[in-house]
Amino acid sequence: MRVVIDQDLCGTTGQCALTLPGTFRQREPDGVAEVCVATVPQALHAAARLAASQCPVAAIRVIESDAGERASADPAPSPAQAERHAAKDQRNPGGRFEGKVAVVTGAGAGIGKACALAIAREGGNVVVADIDGSAAVACTAQIAAEAGHALALAMDIADAQAVAALFETAERHFGGVDLLVNNASAMHLTPRDHTILDLDLAVWDQTMATNLRGTLLCCRQAIPRMIARGGGAIVNMSSCQGLSGDTAQTSYAASKAAMNMLSVSLATQYGHAQIRCNAVAPGLIMTERLLAKLDERMQRHLSRHQLLQRVGRPEDVAALVAFLLSDDAAFITGQVLCIDGGMLAHVPTYADGGNSRAARPAGDTAKAATAPRC
């Protein structure tokens, strides 16, 4: 096993939990410096692995072995390594993304994490980007436990320099970029995202900076790299709120509506270069964050308007995203696809019986009268 430290990313040189003087090799051509654990005393092996797993900027990756190391120099496999090898059979070798490199933003939790896992399980190399570095590391660790390949990066997509560094790192570590999922969103601002007259303009500006400008910045970095590799596929994470009016969340809805047109524009402008771009508009998807915000009453209120009698799961969205990124969707581009359990597919009076005389289940109308508006 070797611990590989990318010193361009790691700004904590000399401050890490473990210091191994005299064991660094020459920097590699791709800018990576290496530490061979075989040169470290056996008593420090566990500490080396701990340091690799806890690097705050996810700048350390672990390579199990390579042809240049003597098999006798490797220690006995740890339980975690044994688990990774056991999980290898669950991964789909030769899957739809074998040999592909994907960048997924906002991949530390929820829908983004589900997308990153879905791509890795089908053979893709995934750059897991999130403003929460520890969440990105946790997602990468899960991918590694399933014998996948991933790199975690803590970054803010509203920062142009950070976005440029993200894609430069993806290219340096994995050779290029083929796929992009723009999932990062300023969800922490939605509680302050009110009606037009009550809206704090700072919330509007910050929402647009992340949701819309951040997506644009990522696309601008990805497109030249995709062209260099003969094409690629982009999925932008929109929302049903970008397709219908609401009593609040003005900034969020406007940013997602603009994202839909950005997606169509990108598909139109770069289809000749074999780059496809689609937007996905989720409805009620029960992520950990949403579950913490919605009480049971509000969940019932929202689900009444769905045609399918269950809430959506992050894995539902990830399955659609994986399809759109894959060659199975090779003739689909410039589309906005809802995945909302039918929430936007019916007349506004659906939850109260629609235009038919058929009665809804007892108590539904009364509940609707007292339910809070979303």
Side-chain angles (χ1 to χ4, degrees), residues 198-263:
D198 298 327
L199 179 63
D200 181 347
L201 289 180
V203 171
W204 173 276
D205 292 340
Q206 292 170 37
T207 299
M208 292 298 172
T210 298
N211 295 10
L212 188 59
R213 184 173 182 271
T215 296
L216 174 66
L217 290 174
C218 289
C219 290
R220 284 164 62 94
Q221 289 290 331
I223 289 169
R225 291 172 168 86
M226 290 179 176
I227 291 174
R229 287 164 73 90
I234 298 172
V235 172
N236 293 328
M237 198 61 63
S238 182
S239 170
C240 283
Q241 287 191 282
L243 298 169
S244 58
D246 202 346
T247 56
Q249 298 196 15
T250 305
S251 307
Y252 182 83
S255 71
K256 295 301 184 178
M259 182 184 290
N260 294 339
M261 186 50 64
L262 176 64
S263 303

Side-chain angles (χ1 to χ4, degrees), residues 4-27:
V4 183
I5 303 175
D6 184 337
Q7 294 179 322
D8 289 340
L9 294 177
C10 184
T12 61
T13 303
Q15 304 172 34
C16 294
L18 179 69
T19 303
L20 301 174
T23 61
F24 284 86
R25 297 180 180 176
Q26 290 277 335
R27 291 178 66 83

Side-chain angles (χ1 to χ4, degrees), residues 128-351:
V128 177
D130 200 286
I131 198 167
D132 183 345
S134 61
V137 171
C139 177
T140 303
Q142 185 171 345
I143 291 173
E146 298 179 7
H149 304 287
L151 173 70
L153 289 176
M155 54 84 64
D156 181 358
I157 66 166
D159 183 335
Q161 290 184 336
V163 171
L166 165 66
F167 284 85
E168 289 165 4
T169 301
E171 190 166 32
R172 185 171 68 248
H173 280 267
F174 291 127
V177 176
D178 305 288
L179 311 170
L180 171 61
V181 180
N182 283 307
N183 174 73
S185 187
M187 297 300 294
H188 66 288
L189 296 175
T190 55
R192 298 164 50 205
D193 196 355
H194 303 307
T195 61
I196 291 173
L197 293 181
D198 298 327
L199 179 63
D200 181 347
L201 289 180
V203 171
W204 173 276
D205 292 340
Q206 292 170 37
T207 299
M208 292 298 172
T210 298
N211 295 10
L212 188 59
R213 184 173 182 271
T215 296
L216 174 66
L217 290 174
C218 289
C219 290
R220 284 164 62 94
Q221 289 290 331
I223 289 169
R225 291 172 168 86
M226 290 179 176
I227 291 174
R229 287 164 73 90
I234 298 172
V235 172
N236 293 328
M237 198 61 63
S238 182
S239 170
C240 283
Q241 287 191 282
L243 298 169
S244 58
D246 202 346
T247 56
Q249 298 196 15
T250 305
S251 307
Y252 182 83
S255 71
K256 295 301 184 178
M259 182 184 290
N260 294 339
M261 186 50 64
L262 176 64
S263 303
V264 173
S265 297
L266 196 158
T268 302
Q269 294 165 13
Y270 296 97
H272 66 87
Q274 301 304 310
I275 295 176
R276 297 185 298 106
C277 183
N278 295 287
V280 168
L284 180 60
I285 307 298
M286 200 54 65
T287 62
E288 299 95 330
R289 179 183 281 119
L290 189 58
L291 186 61
K293 288 172 54 178
L294 298 181
D295 59 24
E296 187 175 346
R297 184 186 185 194
M298 182 59 81
Q299 291 181 42
R300 287 198 308 270
H301 172 60
L302 292 173
S303 62
R304 287 176 66 248
H305 294 272
Q306 293 184 169
L307 304 183
L308 301 180
Q309 295 304 301
R310 70 170 176 85
V311 296
R313 298 182 295 262
E315 292 75 17
D316 294 321
V317 183
L320 175 58
V321 170
F323 166 72
L324 291 172
L325 292 175
S326 76
D327 289 342
D328 292 337
F331 204 56
I332 301 176
T333 193
Q335 305 301 308
V336 180
L337 291 89
C338 281
I339 178 165
D340 64 353
M343 185 176 284
L344 298 187
H346 52 71
V347 295
T349 54
Y350 162 79

